[in-house]
Each structure stands twice: as C-alpha cells, then as structure tokens.
Amino acid sequence: MTATTARRVLLAAPRGYCAGVDRAVIAVEKALEQYGAPIYVRKEIVHNKYVVETLRKKGAIFVDETEEVPEGSIVIFSAHGVAPVVHEEAERRKLATVDATCPLVTKVHKEAVRFAKDDYDILLIGHEGHEEVIGTSGEAPDHITLVDGPGDVENVEVRDPEKVVWLSQTTLSVDETMETVDALKQRFPALVSPPSDDICYATQNRQTAVKQVAAESDLVIVVGSKNSSNSVRLVEVALGAGAKDGHLVDNASEIDEAWLEGVATVGVTSGASVPDVLVEGVLEWLAERGYGDVEVVQPMEEKLTFSLPKELRRDLRAEAGRKAAG
Ligand code: 0O3
Ligand code: SF4
C-alpha cells in the first residue's frame, strides 16, 4: 500500500458547540432580533474569533467593562460568567441585562457561595486571568485561592487544613486537574471534593474523543481560538495521548502544508466554542491534499440543551403574546 492510499482523517465526535455556547450565541442573535442593534456584550460572548466577528457584523458591540455601556442600554454577559460586582455595576448604570452565563458555570458559582458560607477555604483550580476564574472568585474573594496547576500547590496557604475544599474551572484538562488534586491531597488530607464534577460534560467528552483519535494520528488539528481554554487543552491532551504532532488553528488558512510531511492519519476536532463550518473548511482543505477519506470516531453522544436566559425568554414570550393579540 502506498502512503497516498493510506491517507485518512479521523474526525472526533463530540466536538464543537456545547450546550452553553449554543445558548449564549443564540441569546445574542435573538436579542438583536428582539431589541434591535446595537446590543452590547461584555467580553467575547464565547472565545472564538469567527463567532465574535459574525455577531459584530449583525450589530453586537463587544466591550471589556460594563462602564463602557451607555446608560439605559442592553448588555449581555458572556457564557464564562461574571462576578456579583458586575451585576451591581450594571444595576447602578440602569442597564438591562441578559445573563448568558452557562448554567454549568453558575453551578460552580453556587458551590463557591455555599462553601464560603460554611467558612471553608476554597482552592479554585484554574488558569490565572481567565474570565471564568475571575467571575467565580468574585463570588467569595476572601475565601478563594487560585491554584494554577500542580506546580502551584506548594505555594498554597490555608487558615485551617481541616476545612478545605477544591473547586475548578469548567474547561480544564481532566488529567492535569487530577494531578493538581492529588498534590493538594498530599498537603491537605482532609481536602473535600466538589459535590459533582466542575469540569463539565462537554470538556470531558471532547477530551475523551480526542484521546481516541490521537492514539492513531500522526497529526491532530484542533480548530479553535488561541484564548479558548478548552480548545488549547485539546491540543495538550492529544499530544499527551500519543499524537505525534498537534496544532491549534482558527481556520483552514492557518494550516501549514509542512505539517503534512510523512503524515498518513490526521485527527481533527474542535473546541466547545467553534462552529462546525470552520471544521468543514479544514476537512475540505485536507481533502484537496489527498485526505478525503473521513472516519468519525465517536465514543459517546451528547443530547444536552439549555433554555435561553430567562430575561430573554420573558421578552420573547411577551412579544409573541402581542403578536397573537394582533
Ligand atoms: O473557557 P474557554 O476559554 O474554554 O471558553 P470558550 O472557548 O468560549 O468555550 C466555552 C466555555 C465557556 C463558556 C465556559 O465554560
Ligand atoms: Fe457550559 Fe461546559 Fe460549554 Fe462551558 S464548556 S459553556 S461549562 S457546557
């Protein structure tokens, strides 16, 4: 068999949009339809360049802080969640808000509030400076200490080693997080675990799928933006699971032909904030270079969906009622 005939693509599934991203992106689109442009969005609604650019063209204005939003306007909070001070600031400025925080991020916020109320020291495993971590930490700043990976564990200080719990960002590497937890347990044997997984189903499933693909791939291409934590993690996980090479690209134009040298099997996947049209572009690019044989590798299915943010549902219902009344 020649190298050419052996060329193939292993396409990971699940990949791409998770339920929280789907909900957040639709929330901006529906808000634009319902209230009309401009609609302000605090931070990138999800960490994907293409998504942000597409919504910008439809009339969304992305700002870094609520104070940049003119009084009386509508602002949408991103899927990564916000600290309570952001809600307070929006209220002070009389902004109408739509909270597109993923319900699974909100779940971690609630855990933080509950453990802080019980006076635990909370060790939040996550990446320093990431918006989700800033939002979660803001729920109980006096009780939360950030632990940015296993290397950070030796620096952790707590008030009472008998009353410590760990929580985490939703989009971390499962394996690296377990390493961090093991190291924390060495230091604090009484460490309490979160009541249920903080790393969400979508992050876990995409990592499981890419591991299967990576074991048989010479190269893994992950579609996603550089600031997307879960997408960056997929490259790391692929390399850790045996892929000989791995790269993160926003779209097909960022693929380097040189990566294909001597490559028989290319694994392809995408982060939770990535629309599938970008993956389709990558598959077309690969097909033009002899990698037209695509096999889907799907260790599990996903069915979860979330309803739209409640403020938006209320206004859409009222509008539908007005229309029905003629
Ligand atoms: O948290 P991350 O940088 O991975 O964010 P993305 O790329 O926007 O993906 C969606 C994840 C999210 C909104 C928080 O869990
Ligand atoms: Fe929600 Fe998980 Fe998607 Fe984040 S990656 S938006 S926590 S479903």
Side-chain angles (χ1 to χ4, degrees):
M1 199 191 280
T2 65
T4 315
T5 52
R7 284 179 185 175
R8 62 171 182 163
V9 170
L10 295 181
L11 181 60
R15 63 174 180 283
Y17 273 19
C18 59
V21 165
D22 196 44
R23 168 184 190 259
V25 174
I26 295 175
V28 179
E29 288 169 350
K30 290 272 182 213
L32 282 162
E33 279 169 35
Q34 171 71 16
Y35 313 114
I39 295 288
Y40 290 82
V41 182
R42 182 184 177 278
K43 309 282 185 192
E44 293 189 347
I45 186 73
V46 296
H47 292 151
N48 186 267
K49 265 191 197 171
Y50 176 91
V51 169
V52 168
E53 252 341 286
T54 307
L55 292 173
R56 190 174 275 142
K57 283 186 198 138
K58 290 184 181 173
I61 298 177
F62 291 89
V63 295
D64 255 338
E65 286 311 329
T66 316
E67 62 193 25
E68 295 168 54
V69 181
E71 284 212 11
S73 312
I74 298 166
V75 64
I76 302 183
F77 296 142
S78 84
H80 314 93
V82 294
V85 288
V86 176
H87 284 284
E88 288 156 20
E89 165 77 5
E91 206 170 309
R92 251 197 317 276
R93 296 180 57 78
K94 301 189 174 34
L95 305 177
T97 58
V98 174
D99 189 356
T101 303
C102 176
L104 299 179
V105 173
T106 303
K107 186 200 83 170
V108 182
H109 281 227
K110 285 185 178 155
E111 287 169 355
V113 170
R114 180 159 75 77
F115 282 108
K117 216 164 130 209
D118 291 344
D119 206 25
Y120 274 82
D121 273 352
I122 300 166
L123 305 179
L124 178 65
I125 304 175
H127 295 297
E128 186 157 17
H130 190 282
E131 271 143 39
E132 183 183 326
V133 154
I134 295 170
T136 307
S137 301
E139 291 287 357
D142 298 338
H143 285 81
I144 295 182
T145 304
L146 183 68
V147 184
D148 193 345
D152 212 9
V153 170
E154 61 182 4
N155 307 320
V156 174
E157 281 175 29
V158 299
R159 292 169 304 161
D160 175 2
E162 296 303 313
K163 218 168 173 194
V164 193
V165 60
W166 72 272
L167 300 179
S168 89
Q169 192 179 328
T170 57
T171 51
L172 301 180
S173 149
V174 175
D175 296 339
E176 194 192 83
T177 304
M178 285 310 127
E179 266 180 56
T180 309
V181 171
D182 287 345
L184 284 170
K185 279 189 176 151
Q186 295 282 328
R187 285 205 55 202
F188 312 112
L191 184 71
V192 172
S193 296
S196 62
D197 289 354
D198 286 349
I199 300 180
C200 77
Y201 80 99
T203 301
Q204 297 192 28
N205 290 350
R206 279 150 194 68
Q207 289 176 16
T208 303
V210 84
K211 273 186 189 173
Q212 271 197 22
V213 160
E216 292 187 54
S217 297
D218 304 299
L219 163 71
V220 171
I221 296 175
V222 178
V223 187
S225 290
K226 311 286 177 279
N227 61 341
S228 165
S229 166
N230 78 89
S231 305
V232 174
R233 299 294 83 79
L234 287 174
V235 180
E236 293 169 1
V237 169
L239 291 171
K244 296 193 186 76
D245 192 12
H247 297 275
L248 181 69
V249 297
D250 257 296
N251 55 54
S253 75
E254 291 183 0
I255 307 174
D256 186 340
E257 297 254 7
W259 299 342
L260 295 177
E261 244 175 66
V263 164
T265 302
V266 183
V268 175
T269 189
S270 55
S273 48
V274 181
D276 223 37
V277 63
L278 300 175
V279 175
E280 282 156 23
V282 166
L283 295 178
E284 276 165 32
W285 189 96
L286 286 167
E288 284 160 14
R289 285 152 185 85
Y291 299 85
D293 170 16
V294 179
E295 190 186 317
V296 176
V297 176
Q298 178 155 22
M300 74 281 288
E301 291 204 13
E302 281 180 357
K303 292 205 171 79
L304 188 68
T305 54
F306 292 129
S307 51
L308 285 171
K310 61 178 187 311
E311 314 84 340
L312 198 51
R313 267 186 286 143
R314 177 199 62 206
D315 292 350
L316 290 170
R317 248 195 330 264
E319 173 78 10
R322 274 194 297 277
K323 277 192 182 145

